[in-house]
Amino acid sequence: MTMTLAELASRIGAELAGDGSVSIRGVAPIDRAEPGEVTFLANARYTAHLPTTKASAVIIGQGIASPPHLARLEAEDPYFAFRQALVLLHGERVHPGPADAVDGADISPGAVIHPEATIGEGSLIHPGVVIERGASIGRGSVLYPGAYVGVGASLGEECVLFPNAVIYDGCRLGRRVTIHANAVIGSDGFGYATHKGRHEKIPQTGIVVIEDEVEIGSGCVIERAAMEETRIGAGTKFADLISIGHGTRIGRGCLLVSLVGISGSVEVGDFVAFGGQVGVTGHLSIGDGARIAAKAAVVTDIPAGARVAGVPAIDLEAAKRNALAGRDLYGMARRLRDLERQIQRMQQSLGSQGAAAPKDTP
């Protein structure tokens, strides 16, 4: 879609400073944008590109200076305004119908669908999809090639399963849930009772429940519970390659960056953010709004609103100080050895002086 700068400003809720008649056809990064495109500045590290960008306008925060030749779309939240502009100018992803469908039908003849499964109106089912007995697919959902939906599993309206996504038996997805390629929902939890030298499997009788508008990245695994359910709260977003242990419950609106691993039976509050490669041991509680820095190892409960980092995870500011202090451990060790040698020489000198001193005579 193409629109004038004035129209774009109005539709994304930004205040325009510049020529509103300029035609805008797309959005591009600040260092690669061309005339006719709008760019954005949401991170101060890219400010140096403002004088040289070829963009017709920049979406920018309030009170941030920009060159006079560059039209401004000033927004309270420039990153969200950029998102809105991207949707307006480039649109949402369009899901194609099955390539082998006959007469434009929505269901591929190459899909394997049990007679007792239910497929909602307008759903697109691609070749190689398998939908088992008693499964339910909500209206307007899209299942790409190789997706698998197990016995009695259910998907709400407008869900998307990308290629080779797997939904095990009995698991439940809410509305508008997106599961990216090769993710697995509901595999057995890692539960074994070790008895007389053997690891005996504990049956995993629970399920996974994923609430509305959750997005799960590629290669993620969410284990089913041993009893009851593993639950992912509404609006939570996973990046790729994340593992969630059995019986864990994650709240609403959480963000998990790639390679997070959360053990079983962890209770995570609402709007918690996990940096990349965070590890969480089992049976802990993480409070609402906590922020956990990348590579942290969480081994104790984290209170609501806390900011933590490090191995093991401690208060963020303390972890920063520890990290700064540890940047030259080798140098610190050398200086400590030098001080020890100096003290030893001083002690030896004082001892020899004491031995050589004349004794008092009566």
Side-chain angles (χ1 to χ4, degrees):
M1 180 180 290
T2 299
M3 63 183 68
T4 65
L5 198 53
E7 183 182 1
L8 179 62
S10 174
R11 295 184 67 175
I12 67 174
E15 184 176 342
L16 172 63
D19 183 0
S21 66
V22 173
S23 180
I24 299 296
R25 66 176 184 275
V27 181
I30 194 168
D31 57 342
R32 296 193 292 278
E34 297 291 337
E37 295 178 320
V38 64
T39 190
F40 68 101
L41 182 68
N43 188 320
R45 68 186 300 176
Y46 296 104
T47 304
H49 293 286
L50 279 174
T52 57
T53 185
K54 297 178 182 178
S56 294
V58 60
I59 300 170
I60 200 165
Q62 298 168 346
I64 300 176
S66 63
H69 71 276
L70 187 60
R72 295 168 55 93
L73 297 172
E74 192 170 295
E76 181 177 350
D77 185 343
Y79 197 55
F80 179 71
F82 147 74
R83 182 265 177 197
Q84 299 293 81
L86 199 62
V87 171
L88 285 169
L89 293 165
H90 297 277
E92 302 275 9
R93 182 194 292 269
V94 177
H95 297 285
D100 63 345
V102 178
D103 298 327
D106 294 336
I107 299 178
S108 165
V112 179
I113 302 174
H114 195 281
E116 296 179 22
T118 302
I119 311 297
E121 180 183 357
S123 293
L124 302 177
I125 311 297
H126 284 256
V129 168
V130 176
I131 302 174
E132 299 281 16
R133 173 177 49 82
S136 173
I137 309 300
R139 179 179 59 82
S141 293
V142 181
L143 279 66
Y144 279 89
Y148 174 84
V149 182
V151 173
S154 65
L155 280 62
E157 298 177 359
E158 300 177 17
C159 288
V160 179
L161 302 186
F162 281 98
N164 301 317
V166 174
I167 313 298
Y168 274 60
D169 51 293
C171 294
R172 303 200 303 267
L173 277 59
R175 297 175 298 167
R176 296 183 295 280
V177 172
T178 298
I179 310 294
H180 284 277
N182 302 309
V184 177
I185 310 301
S187 56
D188 281 0
F190 189 70
Y192 297 89
T194 302
H195 179 69
K196 295 183 178 180
R198 289 175 55 86
H199 305 304
E200 303 289 353
K201 186 177 180 68
I202 299 172
Q204 303 296 294
T205 63
I207 61 172
V208 172
V209 176
I210 297 181
E211 297 180 3
D212 296 348
E213 298 183 347
V214 169
E215 185 159 1
I216 305 296
S218 297
C220 294
V221 178
I222 303 175
E223 296 177 350
R224 68 196 309 115
M227 299 176 289
E228 298 183 341
E229 62 187 34
T230 303
R231 180 174 288 265
I232 310 298
T236 285
K237 313 296 183 186
F238 283 27
D240 304 326
L241 301 173
I242 288 169
S243 176
I244 305 299
H246 56 170
T248 283
R249 293 171 179 258
I250 295 177
R252 298 175 297 113
C254 295
L255 296 173
L256 288 78
V257 181
S258 294
L259 300 176
V260 166
I262 300 180
S263 300
S265 302
V266 174
E267 294 286 337
V268 178
D270 297 336
F271 301 101
V272 176
F274 295 83
Q277 298 184 330
V278 167
V280 182
T281 195
H283 305 277
L284 298 182
S285 174
I286 299 175
D288 294 348
R291 298 289 185 269
I292 303 171
K295 294 180 178 281
V298 179
V299 297
T300 59
D301 292 344
I302 303 296
R307 305 292 189 268
V308 301
V311 182
I314 58 174
D315 174 75
L316 178 62
E317 295 306 315
K320 287 180 180 179
R321 291 192 293 270
N322 288 347
L324 288 171
R327 292 177 69 178
D328 186 25
L329 290 176
Y330 176 70
M332 290 175 63
R334 289 188 60 184
R335 291 191 294 273
L336 179 59
R337 286 196 297 270
D338 289 343
L339 288 171
E340 288 174 337
R341 292 190 190 102
Q342 292 178 33
I343 291 171
Q344 186 178 22
R345 287 194 294 269
M346 291 171 62
Q347 290 173 335
Q348 291 172 348
S349 176
L350 290 172
S352 61
Q353 290 178 11
K359 295 183 179 180
D360 292 337
T361 55

